[in-house]
Amino acid sequence: MSHNYVKKMYNLSTTNATTVYTVPSEKTAFINSLRLNEISGNATSWDVTITDSSANVFSVYKSYAIAAGQEQELFSRNWILNEGDILKFTAATADRLVLHASILERDQGVNNKFIAKHNDYTTTDETTVYTVPAAKKAILSELWFSNDDTGNTIAATVKMYNSEGTAFILSEGTIAAGVSGEAMARPQIMDESEAIKVTAGTANRLHTHFSILEIGNPG
């Protein structure tokens, strides 16, 4: 299986959205590090988005501030991106920020398959994000919440359903206005036919990003 390590560095000299990285055809990517430096001595804000292969745009960070001279690692865990996903960064002010991205590209797996699930919740109905396929197990390695409404909080509930349809709450609470972050400290195992479902308390505010590894069921 082919592995390719990629380094990207940007002096963000524009307030236009900068394409940091696009996942190549027949590849899966792992964002190992996305590091930001403020170099001008002035505080500023920035956005991060992911655009999928169908041109849907998902918020990762919205109007986040960085203090003068601060350095910041944007992700606490590795992120999975699918083939065709585009990672974009937008600085609110030009010539203040430097961005470093460290990425691992690998061939898409067959028996062991890495998957990213990006969702924008346009309804308050419960939404099925992922179901473990037949003869598979899954490792849910990352769960990221983003409230892209910078003026209002939002309630969100994540449930894991077993194969009999019984629900177990995995995460529940409110996300402050404009806040993004990792919601799961450690990976979770999922068995065949188990499902993840998310309910947003208000439509058109919540975005989630799940990183999942599907593996052949040894049982």
Side-chain angles (χ1 to χ4, degrees):
M1 179 171 288
S2 174
H3 290 70
N4 184 38
Y5 291 90
V6 178
K7 173 71 174 181
K8 300 285 187 180
M9 297 185 288
Y10 296 91
N11 291 311
L12 296 163
S13 58
T14 175
T15 57
N16 296 327
T18 297
T19 295
V20 176
Y21 172 73
T22 302
V23 183
S25 297
E26 300 182 1
K27 296 289 185 180
T28 300
F30 301 80
I31 308 299
N32 294 324
S33 174
L34 193 63
R35 184 173 180 81
L36 188 65
N37 292 36
E38 199 294 309
I39 60 170
S40 73
N42 297 280
T44 192
S45 62
W46 40 273
D47 299 343
V48 178
T49 62
I50 292 171
T51 303
D52 68 12
S53 58
S54 299
N56 300 304
V57 179
F58 304 94
S59 176
V60 178
Y61 281 101
K62 179 69 173 179
S63 299
Y64 256 66
I66 185 168
Q70 184 180 0
E71 300 175 354
Q72 188 172 350
E73 184 66 48
L74 303 191
F75 297 148
S76 59
R77 303 176 67 84
N78 287 348
W79 268 54
I80 295 173
L81 296 180
N82 299 319
E83 174 184 357
D85 281 352
I86 305 169
L87 180 67
K88 295 184 180 182
F89 191 100
T90 305
T93 308
D95 299 316
R96 292 186 179 180
L97 299 174
V98 175
L99 188 66
H100 297 258
S102 295
I103 300 159
L104 168 61
E105 295 174 349
R106 57 172 285 173
D107 294 341
Q108 294 172 345
V110 178
N111 294 322
N112 295 337
K113 185 177 182 181
F114 291 92
I115 302 168
K117 293 289 185 179
H118 314 297
N119 285 80
D120 174 7
Y121 297 88
T122 59
T123 175
T124 57
D125 295 339
E126 186 173 67
T127 301
T128 300
V129 173
Y130 172 75
T131 302
V132 184
K136 296 284 187 179
K137 285 183 178 286
I139 300 172
L140 174 60
S141 62
E142 179 264 330
L143 166 53
W144 185 271
F145 284 111
S146 179
N147 178 2
D148 72 349
D149 186 333
T150 57
N152 296 283
T153 61
I154 186 173
T157 302
V158 182
K159 295 179 181 179
M160 193 175 289
Y161 284 75
N162 66 14
S163 57
E164 287 76 38
T166 302
F168 300 84
I169 291 175
L170 182 63
S171 178
E172 185 175 46
T174 58
I175 307 165
V179 167
S180 300
E182 180 62 52
M184 202 172 66
R186 301 295 300 169
Q188 299 292 316
I189 305 298
M190 298 179 67
D191 289 323
E192 175 182 350
S193 299
E194 293 186 342
I196 300 166
K197 300 185 182 183
V198 176
T199 304
T202 308
N204 300 313
R205 293 182 187 172
L206 177 66
H207 296 241
T208 63
H209 304 268
F210 291 81
S211 295
I212 299 163
L213 168 60
E214 286 181 356
I215 57 178
N217 192 342

